[in-house]
Structures are given as structure tokens and as C-alpha cells.
Amino acid sequence: MPGDKQRVALLSVHSCPLGRIGGKDTGGMSIYVREIADELGKQGFLVDIFTRRHGPEHGGVMELDHNVRLIHLQAGPDRPIDKMQVYEHLREFASGMEESRRHNGLHYHLVYSHYWLSGCAGTMLRQRWGVPHVMMFHTVGAAKNASGAGEPEPELRIENERRLARECERIIAATEKEKGELVHRYGALPERIKVVPCGVNLDRFRPMDRRSVRQRLGFGDEKVILYVGRIELVKGIERLLRATSYLDNDLGLRLVIIGGDEHSLGEIERLRGLARDLHIEETVDFRGLVEHEELPHFYNAADVCAVVSYYESFGLVALESLACGTPVVASDVGIMRDIIRRDEMGCVLSVDHDPPALAHMLAKYISRPASDPLLVREGVSHFGWANIARQVNEVFSEVGVSDSQGGT
Ligand code: UDP
């Protein structure tokens, strides 16, 4: 009915947006879900985020933000489980969503799914409710496999992604590169794919006084190279350690590695061992998981941030660093080539770069005078979430679901 608010069912089945970000399975996608839901809510949609209940304390409906609710549904055991195990409970999850809808007498106008597991449940609801299905993949399994790094993604995932890529009314790809992968690897129709990048919270990630943030973190005058992210082979942390071993440590050097939870302990131990073998154990500072709200201090304290993954569907960390005014040395993955456009913003190396090439670039950014943070930030100032949500809103309009309020 004209004037009625449009109701969106946002699926994030395996990853709770309130989970601790930076652990094994909780990274950029959870940030995306939180931020886009918040902005869509502000722009007049009623957004219900559905996620799997993963602890006995979770349950029922939570008001997250204006117009945004989080609903935990029982599907399988109420504890964290492996993603492939989540797959076995998707039918139960979709039934739980239908039950919740019926119980509350609601009508959803659109299903908006995140990651292939949510996409599978989303397809079931799209059929049941007769509404459009918009999907984001966040990672394209076949492209990740082609990168050759990390555990190979199972065929079951690839088959499902191929099916979903052809079935959804619209796919939102985070980059042109991802769009190409969906078309060429899965046969998705290009006209159904819209490229809308991920965003960054420009209020949270902003330049700060470097001296005081360094003091707060207990850093001195040493040069600081920063890594932020999940602790996974695909992130290239090993080559970052190797590159660090080539750097001259006369001026004092600190490589800060942020990320990883109790499921990452084995990999962190392996990396610590490598640091010992490379004789840089004094230089490497493993901080474990750091609260997202605390990260702006680290980006501001760093001389350079390294995003040297073998595969990345987007790469939020690079945006966060640039928004804080800190240059990024990156491999040519995800959005890097589009956002690192000027020398003061950093540089992009080929995806298969070797440690000496990386060391050469890191040396450049730690030895020269710091870039002007405001100039660096200016290059990503159009990535604010309000702007991104408006573009997502346009995709919804294309499938007949538009924000009738024109923003509130
Ligand atoms: N992150 C965090 N705390 C940590 C490690 C990472 O909040 O200890 C956040 C980081 O700020 C970023 C996200 O996790 O927003 C990682 O997103 P990215 O797109 O870089 O990688 P993904 O996890 O999607 O592979």
C-alpha cells in the first residue's frame, strides 16, 4: 500500500552481526550487515536481521537501531558450529523465519541474503513468499579456490553458489572484479548484477592525534606496520613476516598483527614459530582480537597498513585505514586498485608478489615523511555508509521495492 514502510528480511545465518569481529568466521560481512541495516533503517525500511541462535543466552527479538531488529532462530545446536554443519540446518532456519513471520502477522517485501548459506535459505523463502531475492556473496568460492591459498572450498558450496548466481533477482557485487567472477565462473547474467562497494564508518574511522594514540597504545617512536584481519592463510600474513625480516631494524620497527580468536591459536603459534626462525620475534607483536571500536587508534598509530591477501572479495580493512589517513600497501585483490589511486595513499602490488618486493614497498612508506592524513582520507570520503545504502536502495527499487518514506 502506498505510504506503507517496506519490510526487508535480511539473512545472515552463520554469522551473528553482534559476534566478536575478527574471529575465525566473523569478519567484514558482520560489519557490513550491521552498518547497512542501520542505514537502511534510517532511510525508512523496516529491517529484520535473521541469524542462527549460537548460544543459550541468545533468543527472541532485539531492537538494534531505529527500524532495525535482530532475530535469533533455533536451527541446530545453540552453540557455534562449523559452517558446513550450518548447511544441514538451513531448511529448519527457513521454517523458523516463516513461523516468526506468521506469528507476528508480518509481510516481508524482499529477501536480502548474505553469503551462500543465507542465499540457500533465502531461495526457500523467496519461493514461499513470492518476493524478490537480492543476494551478496561476500566471497566467491570458485575464485577463492583459484587463488590456491587456504583450505579449498567444497564442491557443495561451489554448486550452490552457481545455482544461486543464476536464480536471484539481483546480485550486489562489491567490485567489478567480483561481478566478472560471478559471470565467468558461475554463468550469472551481467544485467542482474549491480556493483555497489562496501562502505566505511567515517565518524569512527577518522584521523586522530598520532602522538596521543601512540601513547595510549604504549608505542614509542618506532616505525609501525599494521595487519588487521582474520588469521587465515589466504590473508598472506606469512609473506608479511618474511618481508619484515628483510627490513632494516636500526630505527626500531614493530609489526602489529591484530585478529584471531581461540580457533586461530594453532595458526598464530605457527606464525610465531616462523617469526622465531626469521629472527624477528622481537619485532612482531601479536595482539589477538581487538574490539572494532578500538581499531581507529591502531590505524592512526601505524605508519603503514599491509593488506597482502591472495584473495579478498573487497577488503574493508584498507578502507578503514585510508579513512584514518594511513596509507596501505596491498596486493591486487578486491577493491584495492580502485581506492589506492595516489602515491600518498599507498601502492598495489601484483597478487603473487614476493617478500622482497613487499619489503621494498613497506620500506618506502615507513622511511618517508608521513602522508597528509586528510588528503589520504579525502580519497575514500564517498564510501560513507549512507551513500552505500542509497545505492543498495536503488537495487531494491529495480525489483519493485522502494523506500516509500524517502528517508526518515
Ligand atoms: N576486525 C576487527 N577486529 C579484529 C580484526 C578485524 O574489528 O581484531 C574487523 C576489521 O576492522 C574489518 C573486518 O574485521 O572491518 C575485516 O573485514 P575485511 O573485509 O578486511 O576481511 P574479511 O573478514 O571480510 O575477510
Side-chain angles (χ1 to χ4, degrees), residues 128-336:
R128 207 167 200 164
W129 296 346
V131 298
H133 185 198
V134 176
M135 205 191 144
M136 276 192 79
F137 281 74
H138 292 275
T139 312
V140 176
K144 187 176 172 200
N145 281 352
S147 79
E151 292 279 297
E153 296 297 329
E155 195 47 39
L156 177 73
R157 169 177 177 173
I158 309 296
E159 273 168 27
N160 273 294
E161 287 191 342
R162 186 170 294 120
R163 175 176 64 83
L164 291 165
R166 294 171 186 200
E167 274 178 17
C168 299
E169 272 67 31
R170 284 290 180 281
I171 297 173
I172 297 180
T175 60
E176 288 291 342
K177 199 186 283 178
E178 187 179 290
K179 175 174 175 175
E181 281 157 358
L182 290 164
V183 171
H184 296 118
R185 295 184 190 278
Y186 292 155
L189 294 173
E191 59 274 24
R192 288 207 196 157
I193 308 177
K194 294 288 154 186
V195 177
V196 180
C198 301
V200 62
N201 185 326
L202 292 168
D203 296 327
R204 174 173 296 146
F205 293 98
R206 62 191 161 79
M208 297 169 172
D209 179 62
R210 171 180 277 226
R211 190 163 289 280
S212 45
V213 289
R214 281 200 165 217
Q215 234 168 20
R216 177 189 169 118
L217 297 173
F219 297 169
D221 290 332
E222 68 272 39
K223 298 292 180 182
V224 176
I225 302 171
L226 178 66
Y227 168 86
V228 177
R230 292 175 298 111
I231 306 295
E232 295 269 328
L233 286 175
V234 75
K235 296 285 184 180
I237 305 168
E238 180 168 333
R239 65 178 164 189
L240 179 56
L241 293 181
R242 292 188 189 281
T244 303
S245 73
Y246 287 96
L247 294 173
D248 182 357
N249 197 3
D250 284 355
L251 297 170
L253 184 63
R254 187 196 289 254
L255 170 62
V256 179
I257 309 249
I258 289 179
D261 58 8
E262 64 278 12
H263 305 289
S264 326
L265 293 178
E267 179 59 5
I268 291 180
E269 220 22 70
R270 189 184 75 81
L271 293 170
R272 274 190 207 283
L274 177 63
R276 273 193 300 278
D277 295 345
L278 295 168
H279 308 291
I280 53 166
E281 68 267 40
E282 301 289 312
T283 307
V284 190
D285 183 359
F286 286 96
R287 291 282 175 132
L289 195 144
V290 168
E291 292 299 328
H292 194 64
E293 292 66 24
E294 185 59 21
L295 282 177
H297 298 111
F298 283 91
Y299 289 122
N300 272 281
D303 292 277
V304 64
C305 177
V307 182
V308 290
S309 318
Y310 297 97
Y311 171 81
E312 202 68 64
S313 88
F314 185 81
L316 278 182
V317 161
L319 260 192
E320 291 165 2
S321 179
L322 295 171
C324 288
T326 301
V328 174
V329 169
S331 44
D332 190 3
V333 290
I335 194 72
M336 304 306 151

Side-chain angles (χ1 to χ4, degrees), residues 109-122:
H109 300 87
L110 183 118
V111 175
Y112 180 29
S113 305
H114 295 265
Y115 199 66
W116 71 278
L117 290 167
S118 299
C120 293

Side-chain angles (χ1 to χ4, degrees), residues 338-354:
D338 297 337
I339 56 173
I340 304 172
R341 290 185 319 271
R342 299 190 307 263
D343 191 47
E344 75 263 18
M345 297 177 84
C347 71
V348 182
L349 297 161
S350 79
V351 70
D352 54 0
H353 67 264
D354 59 12

